[in-house]
């Protein structure tokens, strides 16, 4: 029995106090295996020790909530006995070390979280952050991550229908790879990760266990430093074919009524799945490790308990159903073994050939880990970021050039190069494919559809984490609304730096409060989520990036709306108010190389009114297109509506009233709560009336048609054409830029 | 009609094919597990898209040894109608039911998008409702779709009108620009010499409803059903003429 | 016995992967690299002492599964 | 000079391809096949006469591009 030394404790990322807590719980010194189990379960990644006190502020209830946070994924009711199960997760650190496998196994993990619930996965979305593509390393990371997501998702037959890609050098040494998955289940047939029924068999299903990713969970709770090199062997290789078989086998066992509980073996593998299932049910579990299928010889109990080999599940079957479970697994050619049983003593007891190697109260491991209310305070530099004197920034001279620069900046440019590598049509539900404000998927056997999107402007969050988080929620909801969907649920993935730093913790606390307030105001419950801390390299933190994944519901799939113009002669109407707001804009970054200022103002009342108005217009068939104004402002939104359709591209002639505002603010400012719609002229009156009834400012700003985008700015004295570009010029810059940047030598 | 959709481990368009034939075209569909050894009672067989056996080693290479493939081969030899879509096409090539082989896309990337194909042969059971030269818009989704065969084989494909679909521009011109994967002769789909086995890379089942954008794939699937009806009538006629 | 099997695309068949790697090598500054070709390499253990039988068996594996004779050629060693 | 490069997954790293092929071989009746591992094989011409320099160059190619040192190992011959 090795002596637990201070060094060993430090290697396990446990503090002296945490270790003392372990000794108190056990009433003795832990064994090495026990120390390993505590260290992974009490890591930031698994225990949420720094975030839990704040996450409590998020609103998690609502009439549609079937399952809130606390399970493998959340679920909302979509009527007709069905529910939508969804969650988002990060795989940032593994993707930096090995982009293809890191991203691929990230997809594998979130898929398991969904089918664990008894839901068949119907869609994936991915939200990515990379450094700018001027370095070979950033290009390699991007190529690898996209290929990894494609490699796994495509093979699984789950369409990747949406997401985000944003570029900023702050992510060069810590890219973000967040993946969200949606699944569909019958509401009363949801499965949960509980080990109920004393004496029930505990069954291991899936890939054999190897020495993969041992300490993956603690790695995700640690920053990168030069020792990243040393940690490399922990990379895991994904096997999507195995996962596909596992998916089918699990769904078949669930449908046959053989199971009482099920959980994937994700971070912290067999340890987390077993102790969490027991803890939720208030039971214990006894495992015999010699029965665990293995890929490598001579694995120690420590390694078996901590392995993060992919594509594995832990099931609790109903007593007497073992044989049927085994038969289904054999049919699908997946490894399976009965490795333990449910006990009544609340203890996770691990045996190796009959000898006890670990004996820990399951609740202590899963729920009674340390909790920290870490100190937080705004950083001294915060004021420098937001103080921006606009007098020193000249107004735009050549608006044509400015628009083209924005359209070809990779954050705004078309993401076709990415989403064409993803199968986004398999399962034949994709009504709105990637390339519009939100993806829309019909629900077979009903008239309904669901929409999904991920959004976060992390520059806003840097400048003001509270406002930035509120805007992320508002923008996600607006994207759904523009697709004709009513927002019904939210999942988040909170990517931040080191929580032990008060400035980072301040960003986190502010962001969570922003999320909470926006969700409260827009009545959108948070049903699942994930926290990823320690996103920093050599002391440099990423921008605070609270990714918001949101789902919406359409009563009629055939009313799904898209962002592109449809017909010559249609009116173009701008809903919402344009203010002089350039702070944190893509325009300031691209044209003036500044990431500064105050993010745009957001009134959640105005936002709600806008949503009600737009949803009504779409439901009544009064608009032909709807597009949210975000990065790059109205000018970019107009260009996107001209260019992004699958058929013939349509131009537009637009006149914007400038008033006393700067030209660049009118064209490229990112004022919130604005939507661009196009409509047949016959509907103009009804639309303007509806807008007035909802107290939403509305202006007819132009007409669809021709093969140019022409924008003029008017004030009391003049009416100047400031943008006049052919669609082919615009298209070339916007559609081909990303591919050019990724493939540059 | 009773169509069999074969389910290999790793198939992932099997349910899409089931849905389109059953719910959109109103036919009976039987899901055929790859370990079955008989396809008795089926009027036609569909090998769906996906990643059978993960497509590890080569696409379709391992699936061709599934027990059901012997029965499929026999069914085809007796004139039964067999449609292989995407991975199904790759399996038919590996199994030798169609000539040639599939290479990695020239771009080396998986590609998922709409393309145009022209119907080069409108006289097959899969295209009988098409006009010759008709241009269809249809999605592709594959990483290994660059069709290859030696020059002799290609010549005989041409001579026998076995090239059924070719990638083309929206106006029907078959150009290099229209080729999404580097396929020889812009080949998107070929049939066997007898005409009863078709393999195609594009996915007709993904565009058979207007809700999904367009429904050009429907004419291919409906042709297949129409051909089965004719085949049955012909059989009945022959039977009635027997003494 | 251990079999070591090499499977390559036949000469004359376009190898876009080889070409891409070649271009990447040149971009990295390896200007004197040329004719890059990429194939598969497989190793397996064969529980068989008789060399002739082992050879026949591996040949049969290659022809049935490991290589596609339309586009690929193979060679193997036994040790 | 010609470089012949073998790239394999490191020992202990899951090799899904190898596993699938092994199962297929066994299903085909090659019951004495085991431990199938699949890797990459690359050939390239190097316009370089000096053996030591060539060796250094190929090593550098492998480390920078041809192999992924995190999960793969490589070896090469020059001829
Ligand atoms: N930021 C968050 N907001 C809401 N719920 C969260 C958040 N982070 C985590 N949760 C919830 O806490 C639970 C544990 O999350 P996690 O450990 O990521 O799950 P898993 O074990 O599947 O990785 C989940 O139910 C998750 O939905
Ligand atoms: Mg989970």
């Amino acid at each position: 029995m090795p002596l637990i030394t201070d060094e060993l404790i430090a290697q396990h990322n446990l503090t002296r106090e945490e270790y003392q807590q372990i000794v108190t719980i056990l009433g003795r010194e832990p064994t090495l295996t026990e120390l390993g189990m505590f260290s992974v379960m009490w890591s930031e990644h698994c225990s949420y020790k720094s975030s839990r006190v704040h996450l409590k502020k998020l609103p998690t209830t609502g009439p549609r909530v079937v399952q809130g946070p606390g399970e493998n994924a959340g679920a909302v009711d979509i009527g007709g006995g069905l529910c939508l199960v969804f969650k988002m997760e990060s795989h940032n650190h593994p993707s930096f070390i090995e982009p293809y496998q890191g991203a691929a196994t990230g997809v594998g993990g979130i898929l398991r979280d969904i089918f664990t619930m008894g839901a068949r996965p119907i869609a994936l979305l991915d939200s990515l952050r990379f450094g700018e593509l001027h370095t070979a390393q950033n290009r390699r990371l991007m190529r690898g991550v996209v290929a990894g997501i494609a490699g796994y998702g495509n093979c699984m037959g789950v369409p990747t229908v949406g997401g985000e890609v944003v570029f900023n050098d702050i992510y060069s040494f810590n890219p973000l790879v967040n993946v969200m998955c949606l699944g569909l289940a019958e509401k009363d047939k949801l499965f949960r990760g509980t080990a109920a029924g004393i004496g029930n068999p505990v069954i291991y299903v899936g890939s054999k266990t190897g020495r993969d990713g041992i300490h993956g969970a603690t790695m995700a709770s640690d920053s990168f430093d030069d020792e990243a090199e040393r940690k490399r062997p922990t990379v895991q290789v994904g096997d999507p074919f195995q996962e596909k078989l596992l998916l089918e086998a699990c769904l078949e066992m669930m449908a046959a009524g053989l199971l009482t509980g099920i959980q994937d073996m994700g971070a912290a593998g067999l340890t987390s799945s077993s102790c969490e299932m027991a803890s939720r049910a208030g039971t214990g579990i006894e495992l015999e490790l010699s029965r665990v299928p293995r890929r490598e010889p001579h694995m120690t109990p420590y390694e078996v308990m901590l392995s993060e080999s992919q594509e594995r599940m832990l099931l609790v079957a109903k007593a007497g159903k073992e044989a049927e479970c085994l038969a289904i697994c054999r049919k699908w050619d997946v490894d399976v073994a009965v490795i333990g049983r449910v006990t009544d003593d609340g203890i996770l007891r691990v045996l190796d050939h009959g000898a006890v190697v670990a004996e820990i109260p399951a609740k202590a491991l899963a729920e009674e880990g340390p909790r920290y209310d870490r100190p937080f305070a705004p950083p001294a530099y915060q004021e420098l970021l937001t103080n921006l004197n606009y007098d020193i920034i000249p107004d735009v001279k050549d608006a044509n050039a400015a628009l083209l620069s924005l359209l070809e900046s990779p954050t705004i440019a078309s993401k076709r190069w990415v989403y064409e590598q993803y199968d986004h049509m398999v399962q034949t539900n994709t009504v709105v494919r990637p390339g519009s404000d939100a993806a829309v998927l019909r629900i077979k056997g009903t008239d309904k559809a669901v929409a999904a999107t991920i959004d976060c402007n992390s520059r806003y969050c840097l400048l003001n984490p509270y406002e930035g988080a509120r805007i992320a929620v508002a923008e996600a909801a607006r994207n759904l609304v523009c697709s004709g969907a009513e927002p019904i649920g939210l999942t988040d993935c909170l990517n931040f730096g080191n929580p032990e730093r008060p400035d980072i913790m301040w960003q986190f606390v502010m962001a969570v409060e922003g999320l909470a307030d926006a969700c409260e105001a827009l009545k959108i419950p948070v049903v699942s989520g994930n926290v990823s801390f320690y996103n920093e390299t050599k002391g440099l933190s990423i921008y605070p990036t609270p990714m918001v994944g949101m789902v919406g519901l359409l009563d009629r799939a055939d009313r799904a709306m898209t962002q592109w113009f449809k017909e010559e002669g249609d009116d173009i109407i701008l809903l919402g108010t344009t203010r002089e707001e350039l702070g944190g804009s893509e325009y300031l970054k691209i044209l003036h190389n500044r990431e500064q200022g105050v993010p745009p103002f957001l009134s959640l009342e105005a936002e709600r009114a806008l949503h009600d108005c737009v949803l009504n217009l779409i439901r009544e068939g009064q608009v032909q297109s709807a597009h949210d104004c975000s990065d790059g402002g109205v000018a970019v939104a107009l260009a996107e509506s001209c260019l992004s359709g699958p058929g013939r591209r349509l131009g537009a002639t637009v006149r914007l009233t400038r008033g006393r505002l700067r030209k660049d603010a009118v064209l490229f400012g990112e004022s919130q709560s604005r939507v661009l719609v196009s409509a047949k002229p016959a509907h103009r009156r009804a639309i303007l009336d509806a807008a007035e009834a909802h107290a939403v400012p509305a202006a007819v700003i132009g007409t669809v048609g021709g093969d140019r985008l022409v924008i003029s700015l008017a004030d009391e004295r003049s009416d100047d054409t400031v943008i006049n570009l052919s669609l082919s010029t615009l298209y070339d810059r916007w559609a081909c830029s990303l591919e050019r940047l990724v493939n540059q030598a | 009609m009773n169509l069999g959709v074969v389910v290999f481990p790793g198939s992932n368009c099997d349910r899409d094919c089931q849905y389109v034939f059953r719910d959109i075209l109103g036919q009976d569909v039987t899901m055929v597990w790859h370990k079955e050894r008989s396809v008795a009672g089926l009027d036609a067989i569909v090998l769906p898209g996906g990643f059978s056996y993960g497509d590890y080693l080569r696409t379709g290479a391992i699936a061709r040894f599934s027990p059901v493939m012997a029965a499929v081969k026999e069914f085809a030899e007796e004139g039964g109608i067999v449609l292989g879509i995407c991975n199904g096409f790759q399996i038919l090539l590996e199994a030798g039911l169609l000539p040639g082989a599939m290479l990695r896309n020239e771009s080396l990337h998986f590609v998922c998008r709409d393309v145009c194909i022209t119907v080069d042969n409108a006289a097959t059971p899969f295209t009988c409702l098409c006009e010759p030269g008709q241009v269809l818009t249809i999605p592709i989704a594959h990483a290994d779709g660059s069709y290859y065969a030696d020059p002799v084989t290609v010549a005989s494909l041409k001579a026998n009108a076995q090239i059924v679909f070719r990638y083309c521009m929206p106006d029907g011109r078959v150009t290099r620009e229209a080729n999404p994967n580097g396929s020889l002769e812009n080949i998107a789909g070929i049939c066997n010499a007898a005409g009863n086995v078709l393999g195609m890379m594009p996915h007709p089942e993904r565009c058979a409803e207007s809700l999904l954008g367009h429904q050009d794939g429907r004419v291919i699937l409906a042709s297949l059903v129409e051909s089965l009806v004719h085949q049955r009538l012909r059989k009945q006629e022959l039977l009635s003429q027997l003494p | 016995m251990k079999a070591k099997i090499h499977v390559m695309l036949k000469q004359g068949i376009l190898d876009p992967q080889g070409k891409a790697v070649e271009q990447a090598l040149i971009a990295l500054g390896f200007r004197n690299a040329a004719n890059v070709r990429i194939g598969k390499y497989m190793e397996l253990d064969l529980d068989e002492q008789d060399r002739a039988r082992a050879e026949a068996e591996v040949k049969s594996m290659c022809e049935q599964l490991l290589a596609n004779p339309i586009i690929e050629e193979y060679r193997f060693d036994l040790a």
Side-chain angles (χ1 to χ4, degrees), chain A, chain B, chain C:
Chain A
M1 178 118 326
L3 212 63
I4 306 293
T5 60
D6 285 354
E7 197 191 346
L8 209 51
I9 294 167
Q11 274 168 7
H12 282 80
N13 272 336
L14 289 164
T15 65
R16 206 53 239 175
E17 295 71 42
E18 288 168 350
Y19 180 73
Q20 273 318 318
Q21 204 179 330
I22 293 170
V23 173
T24 309
I25 286 167
L26 295 178
R28 59 179 164 81
E29 295 241 307
T31 64
L32 181 60
T33 304
E34 288 171 336
L35 184 72
M37 291 164 69
F38 272 108
S39 89
V40 289
M41 289 310 298
W42 287 12
S43 69
E44 188 64 60
H45 184 74
C46 291
S47 73
Y48 291 85
K49 56 188 168 192
S50 305
S51 57
R52 213 172 272 254
V53 291
H54 301 288
L55 295 178
K56 282 199 303 238
K57 297 169 200 158
L58 297 172
T60 59
T61 55
R64 288 190 186 273
V65 176
V66 177
Q67 176 65 57
E71 276 288 336
N72 287 298
V76 291
D77 194 336
I78 57 167
L82 295 174
C83 65
L84 193 60
V85 178
F86 60 98
K87 178 162 193 243
M88 179 156 42
E89 282 233 350
S90 63
H91 232 212
N92 306 337
H93 291 79
S95 301
F96 182 55
I97 294 175
E98 210 310 284
Y100 183 99
Q101 295 297 344
T105 52
V107 172
I110 191 65
L111 282 163
R112 285 194 297 283
D113 273 332
I114 300 305
F115 69 80
T116 291
M117 300 287 294
R120 183 172 278 277
I122 60 167
L124 291 162
L125 293 91
D126 61 325
S127 191
L128 311 177
R129 298 288 182 279
F130 300 106
E132 308 277 356
L133 297 173
H134 49 64
T135 73
Q137 150 115 333
N138 289 341
R139 296 194 292 273
R140 186 185 65 86
L141 282 169
M142 171 155 176
R143 277 196 292 260
V145 164
V146 170
I149 292 171
Y152 210 104
N154 296 353
C155 185
M156 285 295 289
V158 179
T160 303
V161 296
E164 273 196 307
V165 197
V166 171
F167 299 86
N168 191 302
D169 276 334
I170 201 74
Y171 300 106
S172 289
F173 298 96
N174 198 121
L176 301 185
V177 177
N178 291 182
V179 184
M180 171 175 170
C181 183
L182 276 61
L184 198 61
E186 283 177 51
K187 188 176 148 189
D188 54 8
K189 293 195 180 145
L190 272 190
F191 275 80
R192 291 182 171 84
T194 53
I198 312 304
N200 277 346
V202 175
I203 302 180
Y204 172 114
V205 190
S207 291
K208 294 184 168 67
T209 296
R211 291 189 175 89
D212 309 282
I214 291 172
H215 276 182
T218 41
M219 177 175 80
S221 308
D222 203 358
S223 349
F224 274 111
D225 47 37
D226 289 327
E227 283 181 66
E229 210 71 28
R230 187 177 52 77
K231 291 173 179 161
R232 281 181 163 179
T234 59
V235 168
Q236 308 141 45
V237 170
D239 182 352
F241 171 56
Q242 184 64 224
E243 176 121 323
K244 170 74 170 148
L245 302 182
L246 189 60
L247 159 77
E248 299 297 344
C250 288
L251 292 183
E252 196 168 321
M253 286 186 276
M254 291 169 175
L258 308 178
L259 308 183
T260 64
I262 172 167
Q263 174 147 347
D264 69 299
M265 292 188 225
L270 197 47
T271 299
S272 69
S273 52
S274 55
C275 75
E276 286 176 8
M277 286 178 84
S279 172
R280 287 195 195 105
T283 57
I285 281 186
E286 187 172 288
L287 298 175
E288 171 51 71
L289 292 189
S290 62
R291 300 205 193 122
V292 171
R294 298 173 197 209
R295 203 172 76 228
E296 293 180 77
H298 316 304
M299 288 183 69
T300 63
Y302 179 97
E303 290 172 322
V304 175
M305 286 309 290
L306 266 60
S307 163
E308 295 190 355
S309 287
Q310 299 289 300
E311 292 95 24
R312 303 180 301 161
M313 286 282 192
L314 196 66
L315 322 177
V316 175
K318 293 180 183 161
K321 299 289 186 189
E322 294 92 327
E324 284 170 71
C325 288
L326 266 52
I328 289 175
C329 292
R330 298 227 170 87
K331 170 186 162 190
W332 288 101
D333 284 324
V334 292
D335 270 308
V336 54
V338 178
I339 61 165
R341 61 189 180 86
V342 178
T343 60
D344 63 1
D345 58 4
I347 304 285
L348 174 57
R349 188 173 295 106
V350 183
L351 295 88
D352 187 27
H353 293 95
V356 174
V357 293
E359 206 166 16
I360 308 174
K363 271 218 157 45
L365 265 181
E367 288 170 41
E368 289 161 9
R371 291 292 137 81
Y372 298 123
D373 192 350
R374 296 195 187 275
F376 56 90
Y381 56 75
Q382 198 67 29
E383 240 178 88
L384 289 176
L385 288 173
T386 45
N387 267 343
L388 178 60
N389 175 6
Y390 287 93
D391 296 342
I392 60 169
I393 299 172
D395 200 347
V396 63
K397 293 230 167 49
D398 184 348
N400 283 322
L403 177 58
L404 291 174
S405 299
L406 281 169
L407 287 176
E408 73 181 350
S409 82
T411 296
I412 288 180
S414 165
K415 303 303 181 296
R416 197 183 62 183
W417 182 87
V418 176
Y419 62 69
E420 280 190 358
Q421 293 186 54
Y422 302 149
D423 188 340
H424 48 260
M425 297 186 228
V426 63
Q427 299 193 15
T428 60
N429 296 321
T430 315
V431 174
V432 178
R433 301 176 188 180
S436 194
D437 278 335
V440 178
L441 301 144
R442 59 99 175 261
I443 304 296
K444 283 185 182 133
T446 73
D447 294 331
K448 293 177 196 171
V450 294
T453 181
I454 305 181
D455 289 284
C456 176
N457 185 321
S458 53
R459 189 163 43 240
Y460 295 169
C461 294
L462 171 76
L463 300 176
N464 185 330
Y466 175 79
E467 289 297 333
R470 288 197 328 141
I471 290 174
V473 174
E475 186 178 340
R478 206 182 310 135
N479 281 321
L480 296 178
V481 163
C482 286
S483 305
E486 175 200 352
I488 58 170
L490 185 148
T491 182
D492 61 54
C493 194
L494 310 178
N495 305 271
F496 286 79
N498 180 349
E500 295 159 44
R501 280 174 46 183
D503 56 334
I504 301 295
M505 202 59 209
W506 175 79
Q507 294 176 333
F508 181 78
V509 173
M510 291 299 118
V512 170
E513 282 176 6
L515 289 181
D517 288 352
C519 289
E520 202 77 66
L522 298 177
K523 300 207 176 355
I524 305 169
V526 180
V527 299
S528 60
N530 180 246
V531 179
S532 170
F533 277 131
Y534 298 99
N535 288 288
E536 63 168 34
T537 301
K538 296 184 182 157
L540 186 65
S541 287
I542 60 160
Y543 288 174
T545 314
M547 227 72 93
V548 169
M550 203 181 283
V551 298
L553 183 64
L554 293 90
D555 287 330
R556 285 183 51 179
D558 60 359
R559 282 281 161 85
M561 188 47 61
T562 49
Q563 71 179 29
W564 48 86
F565 294 141
K566 304 289 183 312
E567 211 172 323
E568 301 250 0
D570 280 353
D571 281 343
I572 303 170
I573 300 172
L574 179 62
L575 302 173
T577 307
T578 303
R579 301 185 181 81
E580 190 164 284
E581 293 176 308
L582 286 169
S585 64
E586 196 67 18
Y587 168 79
L588 277 194
K589 172 175 182 249
I590 300 294
L591 276 298
H592 296 280
N593 201 20
R594 283 177 191 275
E595 302 192 66
Q596 267 179 295
V598 179
F601 167 80
L602 172 69
S603 150
L604 289 165
E605 289 88 298
E607 188 72 41
R608 270 196 79 170
L610 176 81
H611 295 182
D612 290 344
C613 175
V614 173
L615 273 182
N616 255 319
L617 293 176
I618 293 173
R619 284 182 186 142
E620 298 191 347
Q622 282 167 336
V623 298
Q624 300 247 63
S625 72
H627 186 19
D628 141 58
C629 290
S630 57
D631 295 355
V634 183
V636 164
L638 282 165
E640 287 170 342
S641 290
C642 291
L643 302 175
S644 57
R648 191 165 68 95
R649 301 191 274 276
L650 286 167
T653 304
V654 170
R655 184 169 172 274
L656 295 169
T657 351
R658 184 182 150 195
R660 293 166 187 283
L661 307 188
R662 290 169 64 115
K663 285 189 218 167
D664 50 10
V666 177
L667 292 167
F668 307 117
E670 298 175 4
S671 290
Q672 292 298 300
S673 312
R674 294 183 303 165
V675 167
L676 205 58
V677 300
S678 69
K680 295 198 159 98
H683 291 144
R684 181 187 301 178
R685 198 61 263 155
I687 292 172
L688 295 178
D689 288 348
E692 194 177 342
H694 285 93
V696 172
V700 179
I701 59 168
T703 312
V704 175
D707 57 4
R708 302 186 77 77
L709 174 61
V710 181
I711 304 178
S712 59
L713 287 183
D715 56 24
E716 312 86 78
R717 282 160 302 163
S718 61
D719 192 345
D720 298 332
T721 296
V722 291
I723 286 172
N724 187 347
L725 289 162
S726 75
L727 292 185
S728 58
T729 303
L730 290 164
Y731 186 78
D732 176 70
R733 294 292 191 98
W734 172 79
C736 309
S737 161
L738 196 52
E739 186 170 353
R740 275 196 290 262
L741 288 167
V742 178
N743 291 330
Q744 66 191 286
Chain B
M1 293 297 150
N2 187 7
L3 289 104
V5 174
V6 178
V7 184
F8 296 99
S11 291
N12 66 31
C13 303
D14 45 338
R15 301 157 142 265
D16 300 356
C17 290
Q18 176 187 41
Y19 179 80
V20 80
F21 280 112
R22 186 189 60 198
D23 299 65
I24 305 298
L25 294 166
Q27 306 300 309
D28 292 331
V29 176
T30 304
M31 302 308 270
V32 183
W33 183 236
H34 72 116
K35 288 179 184 164
E36 310 248 325
R37 294 183 183 275
S38 157
V39 293
L42 297 176
D43 297 305
I45 293 173
V46 179
L47 306 188
F51 288 72
S52 54
Y53 294 92
D55 274 354
Y56 297 146
L57 191 64
R58 289 187 313 278
T59 57
I62 302 180
R64 83 171 242 236
F65 295 109
S66 274
V68 74
M69 285 307 291
V72 171
K73 209 162 188 167
E74 212 170 283
F75 181 81
E77 276 159 10
E78 288 165 5
I81 289 181
V82 178
L83 168 64
I85 302 169
C86 199
N87 196 228
F89 184 12
Q90 294 160 340
I91 295 168
L92 289 173
L93 292 171
E94 285 281 343
L97 280 159
L98 290 171
M102 217 48 102
L103 296 166
R104 191 79 184 273
N105 290 352
E106 221 171 18
S107 67
L108 300 174
H109 289 308
F110 188 97
V111 55
C112 176
R113 62 177 161 93
D114 281 338
V115 297
C116 291
I117 56 174
T118 154
V119 180
D120 265 26
N121 181 348
T124 75
F126 312 92
T127 49
C128 58
L129 300 178
C130 303
E131 300 293 325
Q134 185 175 351
V135 175
L136 304 172
T137 300
I138 191 166
I140 52 168
H142 59 251
D144 301 81
S146 178
Y147 178 82
Y148 173 84
D150 61 64
V152 178
T153 306
V154 173
S156 85
L157 286 177
K158 282 187 182 165
N160 296 328
Q162 283 172 250
I163 301 177
V164 180
F165 301 116
R166 295 205 289 161
Y167 300 110
C168 68
M169 303 298 286
D171 62 7
R173 280 177 306 129
V174 175
T175 64
R176 169 133 194 102
E177 190 193 350
N179 187 334
N181 52 31
S183 196
L184 261 190
E185 301 280 337
N186 280 33
I187 283 174
I190 58 170
C191 64
N192 61 350
N196 61 312
V197 177
L198 176 89
M200 63 188 299
M201 288 314 290
H203 285 272
E205 82 281 11
R206 294 188 180 185
C207 56
E209 298 164 77
S210 58
L211 184 60
L212 301 181
H214 48 84
Q215 37 185 348
D216 283 5
R218 194 166 176 154
V219 65
I220 296 170
L221 305 172
S223 291
L224 189 158
V225 172
E226 176 82 8
S227 303
L228 292 176
V229 173
H230 275 268
Q231 204 180 45
R232 181 174 286 180
L233 286 176
R234 247 190 341 265
K235 245 186 224 158
Q236 281 166 356
E237 215 171 293
L238 284 177
L239 282 176
S240 69
Q241 284 164 8
L242 286 180
Chain C
M1 277 194 181
K2 196 174 201 80
K4 301 183 169 187
I5 306 159
H6 290 83
V7 177
M8 301 293 282
L9 283 176
K10 284 183 182 169
Q11 282 294 355
I13 291 192
L14 200 68
D15 175 10
Q17 221 184 333
K19 215 189 255 160
V21 168
E22 185 169 319
Q23 278 163 4
L25 283 174
I26 289 167
L28 279 174
F30 299 103
R31 286 177 209 289
N32 48 9
N35 300 324
V36 180
R37 297 179 63 219
I38 302 201
K40 278 176 246 176
Y41 172 69
M42 305 177 224
E43 282 180 4
L44 54 89
D45 294 337
L46 207 62
D47 184 11
E48 171 63 70
Q49 302 316 315
D50 183 288
R51 195 175 181 87
R53 269 211 300 268
E55 210 149 295
E57 206 162 348
V58 175
K59 185 155 186 280
S60 162
M61 285 178 189
C62 288
E63 282 175 3
Q64 285 188 59
L65 178 69
L66 302 181
N68 180 338
I70 298 173
I71 45 174
E72 294 169 327
E73 53 199 17
Y74 66 86
R75 61 189 156 83
F76 62 88
D77 313 305
L78 287 170

